[in-house]
Amino acid sequence: QVQLVESGGGLVQAGESLRLSCAASGSSSGINTMGWYRRAPGKQRELVATITSTGRLNYADSVKGRFTISRDNAKNTVYLQMNSLRPEDTAVYYCNLDLWYQTYWGRGTQVTVSS
């Protein structure tokens, strides 16, 4: 059984930065993809960024050049460095672990960007 725990969310002003972390407990071996999704008020969940266990990257167009996803396989942890934050980045950010047989989600962490 896998559990994902996010941390690093908070309230910042536009233009500032935050770094999100997500630690996965339980089995973490094998090929997998970890990533971040977000849900803004009144909107559907959307992909932010993903990274495979071999380092392949995928970003939403809206965050390219501002956000950077990375992972530490030894620590079973994925990070999201968010720079130049905008009010439209305000959302609950969810950590995701995708295995070939199962997908896991964290509970989410709130990111609020004030103008």
Side-chain angles (χ1 to χ4, degrees):
Q1 182 169 291
V2 174
Q3 290 186 327
L4 304 176
V5 180
E6 301 107 333
S7 62
L11 173 63
V12 298
Q13 293 184 322
E16 295 183 339
S17 299
L18 281 174
R19 189 193 192 205
L20 306 182
S21 299
C22 174
S25 63
S27 180
S28 60
S29 63
I31 299 173
N32 63 73
T33 299
M34 299 189 74
W36 295 93
Y37 293 72
R38 67 187 181 186
R39 186 187 298 275
K43 298 185 179 298
Q44 293 187 328
R45 182 190 65 194
E46 65 175 353
L47 182 147
V48 177
T50 62
I51 182 169
T52 70
S53 53
T54 58
R56 185 175 183 180
L57 304 172
N58 184 35
Y59 292 97
D61 288 341
S62 60
V63 307
K64 286 181 179 178
R66 299 189 298 121
F67 292 8
T68 302
I69 189 170
S70 61
R71 63 187 290 168
D72 185 333
N73 291 335
K75 296 181 179 179
N76 300 322
T77 301
V78 64
Y79 307 94
L80 185 67
Q81 178 67 44
M82 304 185 293
N83 297 328
S84 302
L85 282 163
R86 305 165 180 169
E88 51 263 43
D89 294 318
T90 296
V92 177
Y93 284 70
Y94 298 92
C95 180
N96 171 266
L97 170 63
D98 187 23
L99 308 176
W100 73 270
Y101 60 92
Q102 185 71 54
T103 299
Y104 298 92
W105 293 93
R107 289 184 174 272
T109 185
Q110 177 70 47
V111 172
T112 302
V113 184
S114 63
S115 60

